[in-house]
Amino acid sequence: MDEASDEDLMARIAQGDERAFQLIARRYAARAVGLARRITRNQADADEIAQEALLRVWLSASRWRPVAAFRTWFYRIVLNLCLNRQRRAPMLPLPAAGDPPDLAPDPLARMQREEADRRLTTAIAALPDRQRAAIVLTYHEGLGNAETAAILETSVSAVETLLVRAKRTLRENLGAILDGPC
Amino acid sequence: MMLSELQDLLDIYGADPTAWPPQLRGAAERLIVAEPLAREALEKATRLDLLLSRALRADLAAASVPESEAATGAINALAAFTLPRQGRRALAQVRPRPLFDLNLAPVWPRVAVLASVAALGFGIGLFGLDMNTLENLRGAAASTAVTDTDLSVVAFDPEPLTGVRP
C-alpha cells in the first residue's frame, strides 16, 4: 500500500482506513509543516496547523472528490488555516532561532549574504498574506501559477497580479542589494 | 514589447526564459538584446529569484526544530489519540454512489439561470399579469360606459333643432 496514489489512499480513508491515513500523513506532514512555517513564521503555530490539517483530511475524506490533485486540496487546507490564524494573531517578524551556519569562506561575503537574506526574509514577512502565500508557493513549493491559483481559490491572472505586486514591493525594500552579487 | 511588459513577464514567470510563454519569449529576448535597461531588469530578476529561493531555504534551516522532526511530532501526536468519528451525512449513506459521485459543478450556472427564469415566470404568473388585467378591465369598463352613453344619445334623444325623436 506504500506505493498507492494519494487518490487511492483517500478512497481508503473515506472508508475509515486508519493505516491509509497514517501513510498519507507521513507523505504530507513535512510539507504541511514547511508551508505553514513559511506563511505563519511561527514554529508552534505551524506544528499545530499541520496536525489540524491532517485531522481535517481524516474528517473530510468522505466528502473529498478527485476533481483536483490531493496536494492542491491539502495545501488549500493548510493555507486557509494559516491565514485564519494570522487574522486572529499577527505573525512574528523573525524566528527566534539563530541564523543557519554558512560555509562561505570569505567573511565579508558571508556577512553580505546574511544581510541580504535577513532583509529579504523581513520583506517577505511584511508582505500582505496572499502575496506572501503566492511567493512561498511559487518559490518554495515550486508550483506553477495555475496550481497556486487553485490553492488560493482565485484566477491565474489574480495570482499573476499578486506576484507582480509582491516582487515590486520586494525590489523596493531590497534596493541596492539586488545590484550586488548574491 | 515595452520595458514595463518585460518587467511584468519577469515578475510573473521569473528570470528563467524557458519558463516564459513561447509567444512572448521571442519579443522579450529581442528587447533584452536591444535595450540596456531590459538587461538590467533581467539581471535584477535573476538575483531576486536566487535570493528568494535561498532565503526561504535558509529560513527553514534557521528553525530550531527541523521540518522532518516537527512532521514526525505531528504524526505521532495524531497517532497518540483515537481518531474522531469521520463526518458522514446521513443522506450520503442512502444516496446511490454513482449519483453521489456526479460532478455537477460545470452545470450549476445554467441550473441557476433556469431556476431564476422559472421563478420569474412563476412570479409574473401569480401577480404581474393579474394586476395588469384588472387595470385593463377597469379601463375597458369605463370606455364601454362612455360608448353606451353616446349611443343612447344618438339612438333615443330628440333632434336638437327639430325635436323629432328617432
mmCIF file of all heavy atoms in Angstrom, chain B residues 149-158 165-166:
data_model
loop_
_atom_site.group_PDB
_atom_site.id
_atom_site.type_symbol
_atom_site.label_atom_id
_atom_site.label_comp_id
_atom_site.label_asym_id
_atom_site.label_seq_id
_atom_site.Cartn_x
_atom_site.Cartn_y
_atom_site.Cartn_z
ATOM 1 N N THR B 149 -73.268 55.545 -23.337
ATOM 2 C CA THR B 149 -73.927 56.841 -23.200
ATOM 3 C C THR B 149 -74.065 57.520 -24.555
ATOM 4 O O THR B 149 -75.143 58.020 -24.928
ATOM 5 C CB THR B 149 -73.108 57.747 -22.261
ATOM 6 O OG1 THR B 149 -72.814 57.022 -21.112
ATOM 7 C CG2 THR B 149 -73.847 59.021 -21.935
ATOM 8 N N ASP B 150 -72.977 57.511 -25.292
ATOM 9 C CA ASP B 150 -73.015 58.174 -26.605
ATOM 10 C C ASP B 150 -74.069 57.542 -27.516
ATOM 11 O O ASP B 150 -74.807 58.217 -28.202
ATOM 12 C CB ASP B 150 -71.635 58.088 -27.257
ATOM 13 C CG ASP B 150 -70.629 58.922 -26.485
ATOM 14 O OD1 ASP B 150 -71.075 59.796 -25.683
ATOM 15 O OD2 ASP B 150 -69.427 58.684 -26.651
ATOM 16 N N LEU B 151 -74.113 56.217 -27.463
ATOM 17 C CA LEU B 151 -75.049 55.501 -28.330
ATOM 18 C C LEU B 151 -76.510 55.832 -27.970
ATOM 19 O O LEU B 151 -77.356 56.040 -28.848
ATOM 20 C CB LEU B 151 -74.824 53.986 -28.201
ATOM 21 C CG LEU B 151 -73.693 53.433 -29.066
ATOM 22 C CD1 LEU B 151 -73.482 51.964 -28.763
ATOM 23 C CD2 LEU B 151 -74.014 53.635 -30.544
ATOM 24 N N SER B 152 -76.769 55.906 -26.617
ATOM 25 C CA SER B 152 -78.147 56.195 -26.205
ATOM 26 C C SER B 152 -78.573 57.588 -26.651
ATOM 27 O O SER B 152 -79.720 57.816 -27.026
ATOM 28 C CB SER B 152 -78.270 56.053 -24.680
ATOM 29 O OG SER B 152 -77.508 57.057 -24.061
ATOM 30 N N VAL B 153 -77.556 58.525 -26.627
ATOM 31 C CA VAL B 153 -77.858 59.880 -27.103
ATOM 32 C C VAL B 153 -78.268 59.855 -28.567
ATOM 33 O O VAL B 153 -79.263 60.442 -28.986
ATOM 34 C CB VAL B 153 -76.634 60.808 -26.883
ATOM 35 C CG1 VAL B 153 -76.788 62.119 -27.628
ATOM 36 C CG2 VAL B 153 -76.420 61.043 -25.410
ATOM 37 N N VAL B 154 -77.466 59.111 -29.334
ATOM 38 C CA VAL B 154 -77.739 59.046 -30.771
ATOM 39 C C VAL B 154 -79.067 58.336 -31.039
ATOM 40 O O VAL B 154 -79.862 58.730 -31.894
ATOM 41 C CB VAL B 154 -76.570 58.330 -31.488
ATOM 42 C CG1 VAL B 154 -76.909 58.067 -32.960
ATOM 43 C CG2 VAL B 154 -75.308 59.147 -31.367
ATOM 44 N N ALA B 155 -79.322 57.275 -30.226
ATOM 45 C CA ALA B 155 -80.482 56.425 -30.528
ATOM 46 C C ALA B 155 -81.806 56.997 -30.021
ATOM 47 O O ALA B 155 -82.817 56.894 -30.709
ATOM 48 C CB ALA B 155 -80.246 55.040 -29.932
ATOM 49 N N PHE B 156 -81.810 57.588 -28.791
ATOM 50 C CA PHE B 156 -83.107 57.928 -28.190
ATOM 51 C C PHE B 156 -83.368 59.410 -27.950
ATOM 52 O O PHE B 156 -84.495 59.808 -27.748
ATOM 53 C CB PHE B 156 -83.241 57.179 -26.844
ATOM 54 C CG PHE B 156 -83.046 55.694 -26.986
ATOM 55 C CD1 PHE B 156 -81.961 55.050 -26.431
ATOM 56 C CD2 PHE B 156 -83.981 54.944 -27.714
ATOM 57 C CE1 PHE B 156 -81.790 53.682 -26.572
ATOM 58 C CE2 PHE B 156 -83.803 53.583 -27.842
ATOM 59 C CZ PHE B 156 -82.708 52.944 -27.281
ATOM 60 N N ASP B 157 -82.365 60.244 -27.890
ATOM 61 C CA ASP B 157 -82.615 61.658 -27.610
ATOM 62 C C ASP B 157 -83.213 62.357 -28.835
ATOM 63 O O ASP B 157 -82.913 61.999 -29.970
ATOM 64 C CB ASP B 157 -81.301 62.354 -27.229
ATOM 65 C CG ASP B 157 -80.927 62.045 -25.786
ATOM 66 O OD1 ASP B 157 -81.624 61.185 -25.183
ATOM 67 O OD2 ASP B 157 -79.942 62.599 -25.290
ATOM 68 N N PRO B 158 -84.064 63.376 -28.619
ATOM 69 C CA PRO B 158 -84.640 64.096 -29.769
ATOM 70 C C PRO B 158 -83.603 64.940 -30.475
ATOM 71 O O PRO B 158 -82.605 65.304 -29.905
ATOM 72 C CB PRO B 158 -85.711 64.972 -29.093
ATOM 73 C CG PRO B 158 -85.279 65.092 -27.689
ATOM 74 C CD PRO B 158 -84.529 63.867 -27.337
ATOM 75 N N ARG B 165 -88.080 62.736 -32.382
ATOM 76 C CA ARG B 165 -87.378 61.557 -31.827
ATOM 77 C C ARG B 165 -87.074 60.572 -32.938
ATOM 78 O O ARG B 165 -87.929 60.380 -33.817
ATOM 79 C CB ARG B 165 -88.213 60.871 -30.780
ATOM 80 C CG ARG B 165 -88.299 61.664 -29.476
ATOM 81 C CD ARG B 165 -88.979 60.866 -28.378
ATOM 82 N NE ARG B 165 -88.936 61.608 -27.137
ATOM 83 C CZ ARG B 165 -87.929 61.555 -26.276
ATOM 84 N NH1 ARG B 165 -86.908 60.776 -26.526
ATOM 85 N NH2 ARG B 165 -87.968 62.258 -25.185
ATOM 86 N N PRO B 166 -85.973 59.950 -32.919
ATOM 87 C CA PRO B 166 -85.680 58.986 -33.988
ATOM 88 C C PRO B 166 -86.553 57.724 -33.895
ATOM 89 O O PRO B 166 -87.029 57.408 -32.820
ATOM 90 C CB PRO B 166 -84.213 58.611 -33.745
ATOM 91 C CG PRO B 166 -83.833 59.123 -32.420
ATOM 92 C CD PRO B 166 -84.893 60.111 -31.967
#
